[in-house]
Amino acid sequence: MATSLLEGTNVDYQRSRQVIVFYNGEYRGIYDMREKLNEHFVETNYNIDHNNVDFIKISHNEINVQNGTADDYLNLMRFIESANFIDDNTAYETASKKIDIPNFMEYIAAEIYYANDDWPQNNVRAWKSVNSPWKFVAFDIDQ
């Protein structure tokens, strides 16, 4: 439910719908049918060929590549850790070309508002393409 409240924001999330399932005529219950978060999510929602998408997942402080490579993300993290954002406005300008800032601000605000306490070391999804900066996807914020 929490992620669905992000409709209309700059934050990606898994859309879902509750469905009643019958299998061979036998009632099996109500299921939550949802989009899968992978490179095909980007292809479906942004019309970007999945072969041109880097899609990462952070679980327990470990970066797992679901598609493409994590090289650009790791370089970005190294840049952010070493840059002087207080005295150097060009550091922000550089970072803002590599991160979708409206997406990132709303993503951070949502995670904090929902008090998702197994984040940011877990349940982080992010993607980028050749022509798109890193965008973050709200995922599993029910902690």
Side-chain angles (χ1 to χ4, degrees):
M1 193 269 315
T3 56
S4 67
L5 295 175
L6 296 169
E7 182 69 38
T9 69
N10 289 301
V11 181
D12 290 335
Y13 67 96
Q14 284 179 293
R15 282 162 181 78
S16 66
R17 171 174 288 167
Q18 286 65 43
V19 295
I20 298 172
V21 175
F22 287 87
Y23 185 70
N24 290 335
E26 184 179 332
Y27 175 75
R28 295 293 196 165
I30 300 174
Y31 287 73
D32 188 36
M33 182 175 63
R34 63 179 63 200
E35 289 179 292
K36 189 168 183 175
L37 283 180
N38 59 19
E39 69 279 9
H40 300 290
F41 171 87
V42 177
E43 189 170 54
T44 301
N45 287 284
Y46 289 90
N47 199 27
I48 298 172
D49 182 1
H50 74 275
N51 293 312
N52 298 323
V53 173
D54 292 338
F55 199 100
I56 62 165
K57 167 184 172 181
I58 300 174
S59 297
H60 309 292
N61 286 325
E62 186 174 309
I63 298 175
N64 301 297
V65 176
Q66 292 188 290
N67 195 68
T69 149
D71 293 345
D72 190 58
Y73 185 81
L74 293 169
N75 289 336
L76 175 61
M77 292 302 106
R78 282 191 281 275
F79 170 77
I80 289 172
E81 288 171 357
S82 65
N84 179 353
F85 286 91
I86 295 171
D87 300 322
D88 184 5
N89 196 36
T90 60
Y92 175 79
E93 290 172 16
T94 300
S96 69
K97 291 176 183 161
K98 297 179 181 292
I99 300 172
D100 182 321
I101 297 298
N103 162 268
F104 187 66
M105 290 187 322
E106 290 179 356
Y107 169 76
I108 294 292
E111 293 284 357
I112 292 169
Y113 177 78
Y114 292 130
N116 189 9
D117 64 357
D118 72 338
W119 167 90
Q121 73 282 0
N122 196 35
N123 292 330
V124 175
R125 304 290 189 280
W127 68 271
K128 71 169 280 304
S129 70
V130 175
N131 298 317
S132 173
W134 284 101
K135 290 180 68 82
F136 291 82
V137 183
F139 175 78
D140 193 14
I141 55 178
D142 61 347
Q143 175 66 18

